[in-house]
């Protein structure tokens, strides 16, 4: 056992059972989101208390967003870094999901504290989202290359559902780090199981029939219009062609993972418009028809 694990164990293994009862609870305040694939296999959530982190401060704003990350490092090194002991790299996160055959959830920062996981970031009207969010780091060296296991997806689902329910986080505010730090971050990557989670009621996803309907008619791919649509959905883009390309790439990484190239195409815009129509209809009307 190496040093980081030893220091981790010194904090003791205080097991906190959140509750198994939340599974199957309905999301009656979000009637548009219904589980489409039946009940998840996961039937309980146990959160293990891990080492604390110096990368945190008192929370001053309500939690409205849930941000997902990959660690790009092993469990021991990630637990070490996320303790935020390096003053030049003061980071922290609320939860770590391990990559073991039976993945665990480790708590590092309590939710009533703001953790330093988002960095320079923006989404909609929010900037620097640490204060507005809860962060989950998932052990994966690169979620654009290595898939997440079904066991990880199950426990991520259980953890997200519990957090979303308690804080009433809206589907469009369940986000990738790459969504809120466009051009700067690429995690949790294109292999992250967004579609599976959305089918179980976690996060935003377009209705497939709306995407198909949109594709029946050629979409307007004018760069200015696509920029307006992305901005209406929440993306904060740098100016110019390069800024737009990075925005399209971030969007594809989340919602069109089969092809992440930053190029505007019919399918990307069809998905974007279906999402806007579903979750931001007013902003969609304004952006789509008055770009
Ligand atoms: Zn990240």
């Amino acid at each position: 056992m190496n040093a980081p694990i030893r220091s981790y164990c010194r904090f003791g293994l205080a097991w906190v059972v959140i509750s198994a009862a939340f599974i199957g609870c309905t999301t009656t305040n979000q009637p548009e989101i219904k589980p489409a694939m039946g009940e998840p296999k996961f039937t309980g959530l146990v959160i293990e208390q891990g080492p604390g982190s110096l990368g945190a401060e008192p929370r001053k704003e309500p939690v409205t967003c849930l941000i997902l990350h990959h660690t790009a490092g092993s469990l021991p090194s990630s637990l070490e870094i996320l303790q935020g002991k390096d003053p030049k790299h003061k980071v922290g996160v609320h939860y770590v999901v391990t990559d073991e055959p039976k993945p665990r959830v480790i708590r590092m920062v309590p939710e009533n504290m703001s953790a330093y996981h988002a960095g320079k970031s923006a989404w909609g009207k929010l900037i620097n989202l640490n204060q507005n969010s809860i962060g989950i780091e998932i052990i994966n060296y690169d979620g654009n290359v290595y898939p997440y296991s079904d066991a990880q997806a199950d426990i991520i689902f259980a953890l997200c559902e519990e957090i979303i329910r308690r804080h009433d986080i809206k589907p469009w505010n369940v986000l990738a780090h790459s969504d809120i730090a466009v051009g700067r971050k690429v995690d949790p990557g294109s292999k992250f199981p967004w579609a599976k989670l959305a089918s179980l009621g976690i996060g935003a996803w377009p209705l497939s029939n709306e995407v198909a309907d949109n594709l029946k008619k050629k979409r307007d791919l004018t760069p200015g219009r696509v920029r307006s649509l992305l901005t209406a959905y929440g993306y904060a883009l740098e100016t110019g062609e390069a800024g737009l390309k990075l925005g399209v790439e971030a969007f594809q990484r989340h919602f069109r993972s089969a092809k992440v190239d930053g190029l505007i195409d019919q399918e990307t815009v069809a998905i974007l418009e279906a999402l806007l129509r579903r979750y931001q209809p007013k902003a969609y009307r304004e952006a789509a028809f008055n770009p």
Side-chain angles (χ1 to χ4, degrees):
M1 193 178 276
N2 58 25
I5 287 288
R6 273 204 302 277
S7 70
Y8 159 63
C9 290
R10 275 205 296 276
F11 288 86
L13 295 176
W15 292 82
V16 181
V17 178
I18 289 282
S19 167
F22 66 86
I23 293 293
C25 92
T26 55
T27 51
T28 48
N29 54 342
Q30 294 171 17
E32 75 275 26
I33 299 292
K34 286 195 180 114
M37 287 166 53
E39 293 300 309
K41 279 182 259 165
F42 199 82
T43 55
L45 179 62
V46 176
I47 297 180
E48 182 178 320
Q49 184 62 46
S53 176
L54 299 172
E57 62 183 18
R59 193 180 288 287
K60 302 176 198 106
E61 293 179 38
V63 171
T64 53
C65 297
L66 178 58
I67 313 296
L68 302 174
H69 307 257
H70 67 219
T71 55
S74 68
L75 175 60
S77 70
S78 300
L79 287 176
E80 185 68 25
I81 291 165
L82 288 166
Q83 288 176 57
K85 291 180 206 158
D86 179 354
K88 290 195 219 107
H89 194 53
K90 213 168 172 191
V91 292
V93 78
H94 297 93
Y95 300 102
V96 174
V97 174
T98 73
D99 60 345
E100 297 147 318
K102 206 173 166 202
R104 295 174 292 145
V105 177
I106 297 170
R107 176 191 288 119
M108 296 190 73
V109 173
E111 291 183 12
N112 63 0
M113 299 282 285
S114 156
Y116 300 162
H117 64 97
K120 188 168 180 281
S121 51
W123 182 252
K125 294 191 171 94
L126 302 174
I127 52 163
N128 300 329
L129 272 73
N130 286 339
Q131 276 291 340
N132 313 95
S133 64
I134 287 172
I136 301 174
E137 286 276 3
I138 305 153
I139 303 294
N140 185 320
Y141 284 91
D142 184 349
N144 295 286
V145 177
Y146 305 107
Y148 292 82
S149 69
D150 287 345
Q152 269 185 322
D154 283 348
I155 202 162
I156 292 164
F157 164 77
L159 179 61
C160 289
E161 185 186 59
E162 209 274 334
I163 293 167
I164 288 166
R165 183 176 54 77
R166 275 188 292 107
H167 295 281
D168 190 25
I169 295 172
K170 304 302 179 202
W172 54 90
N173 284 337
V174 179
L175 297 161
H177 199 188
S178 51
D179 290 322
I180 63 165
V182 172
R184 195 173 72 80
K185 293 290 175 182
V186 294
D187 61 313
S190 55
K191 304 282 186 190
F192 188 79
W194 290 111
K196 179 179 178 181
L197 259 64
S199 74
L200 295 167
I202 301 294
W205 204 250
L207 296 169
S208 54
N209 61 326
E210 289 219 354
V211 176
D213 281 353
N214 286 350
L215 281 168
K216 281 180 196 152
K217 191 174 163 235
K218 279 216 152 122
R219 312 319 300 171
D220 178 352
L221 306 186
T222 312
R225 181 174 184 270
V226 175
R227 174 180 283 277
S228 294
L229 294 174
L230 284 168
T231 306
Y233 192 67
Y235 287 90
L237 308 184
E238 296 288 340
T239 54
E241 212 175 300
L244 177 58
K245 187 165 192 264
L246 289 170
V248 172
E249 188 181 315
F251 177 80
Q252 291 168 336
R253 203 178 296 286
H254 188 148
F255 295 106
R256 211 281 299 271
S257 59
K259 193 174 181 193
V260 182
D261 58 8
L263 302 176
I264 298 167
D265 59 39
Q266 290 290 329
E267 187 183 46
T268 300
V269 176
I271 293 168
L272 175 55
E273 292 193 57
L275 275 166
L276 278 159
R277 190 174 293 127
R278 185 171 192 188
Y279 299 110
Q280 314 283 357
K282 187 164 173 284
Y284 174 56
R285 281 194 298 276
E286 288 166 6
F289 305 110
N290 305 293

